[in-house]
Amino acid sequence: MGTDTGAEAGDAAKAGKGADTADGGQAERDAAAELRGLVVPAAETAARIVRGVPAGLLDAPTPCPEWDVRGLINHLIFWTGRGETAARKRPPRPGVEERHDFTRDGDWAARYAEQALATAEAWRDEAAWEGVTSLSGDPNGGMPAVVIGGMLFSECVLHGWDLAVATGQDPALPDRLVRASYEQVASIAEMGREYGAFGEQVEVDASAPTLDRLLGLAGRDPRWKP
C-alpha cells in the first residue's frame, strides 16, 4: 500500500511471506465482518472517482511516485480483477498481463466500475474471508484471506483519494470507509513497509482528521498537490 498503495505492491507472493504468522483470532473475524458490509460502498466510491477522471489527465502525476494517472488506473483494473478470483479461491483468469494498458481498450472507466463491483460482491461472501488465498495464483505464495480482503478494501479508499486529488476531484470519502481503512492499514503498516507495499510514514498530528492520519500512515502527504 504505501506511496503506491498496491494491494500486493505488484507482488502478492512476496508480501505473503510476511503474513504467514497473521493472527486468525477473534479480532480478525470481527474486522472481516465489518469490512464485508463496506466492500460494496468502497467499490462504488472508487468507481465514481474513476468515472470522473478526464481522459486528458491520464499522464498527470499522482501521489504514488511511480505511477501517473494512467498507470494507477491500469493497476486498479488489473489487481481488482485478481481480487475477484482470490475471493473465490480460484487461480487468476488467463489473459492480459500486468503491464497491459487498459486505458487504450475503450471505456476503461466502465470496465473498472463493473469489475470493482463484481469483486466487491465476491468479498461479501463470508467464505471469502476464510483460510488462505492468493492474488498471484501462486499456491506457495498465499496470504490469509482476511489480509487480502482488507487490502483490497483499502485499495479503493486510498487509490480513490490518489486519483481524486490527482485530477482535481473532491474525494468525498465516507467517514465509515475512512475509519475502517485506518484500522485495517494500522494493523498491517509495519509488514507493508517491510515488503515495500507502503512508503515511509508521513508524520501527521494526532489530532488531525482520520483521513489525514490514514494518508500519513500509508506514506502519503495529505497536502499533496499535482
Side-chain angles (χ1 to χ4, degrees), residues 20-87:
D20 289 340
T21 59
D23 181 12
Q26 188 61 45
E28 282 189 347
R29 290 191 289 272
D30 291 346
E34 179 184 17
L35 293 181
R36 282 204 322 274
L38 295 176
V39 287
V40 169
E44 291 172 340
T45 296
R48 166 181 56 79
I49 293 169
V50 169
R51 285 193 182 102
V53 172
L57 289 180
L58 289 176
D59 295 324
T62 75
C64 307
E66 68 274 42
W67 290 324
D68 57 13
V69 169
R70 185 192 311 277
L72 186 48
I73 289 170
N74 285 331
H75 169 85
L76 276 172
I77 293 174
F78 181 83
W79 288 106
T80 301
R82 292 290 184 99
E84 182 183 2
T85 52

Side-chain angles (χ1 to χ4, degrees), residues 40-50 156-179 211-212 214-215:
V40 169
E44 291 172 340
T45 296
R48 166 181 56 79
I49 293 169
V50 169
C156 290
V157 177
L158 286 164
H159 282 328
W161 181 85
D162 293 332
L163 286 173
V165 298
T167 58
Q169 300 182 62
D170 178 0
L173 298 170
D175 289 343
R176 58 181 180 157
L177 300 186
V178 173
R179 289 195 300 270
L211 176 59
D212 288 4
L214 166 64
L215 295 170

Side-chain angles (χ1 to χ4, degrees), residues 1 4-14 66-83 92-105 111 135-137 152 155 159 196-197:
M1 297 188 177
D4 60 286
T5 326
E8 59 331 288
D11 190 352
K14 178 179 178 182
E66 68 274 42
W67 290 324
D68 57 13
V69 169
R70 185 192 311 277
L72 186 48
I73 289 170
N74 285 331
H75 169 85
L76 276 172
I77 293 174
F78 181 83
W79 288 106
T80 301
R82 292 290 184 99
R93 302 182 188 95
V96 297
E97 300 298 324
E98 185 176 2
R99 293 181 180 275
H100 183 77
D101 186 359
F102 295 96
T103 66
R104 299 187 185 280
D105 294 345
R111 177 170 183 170
L135 287 163
S136 68
L152 288 164
E155 284 261 281
H159 282 328

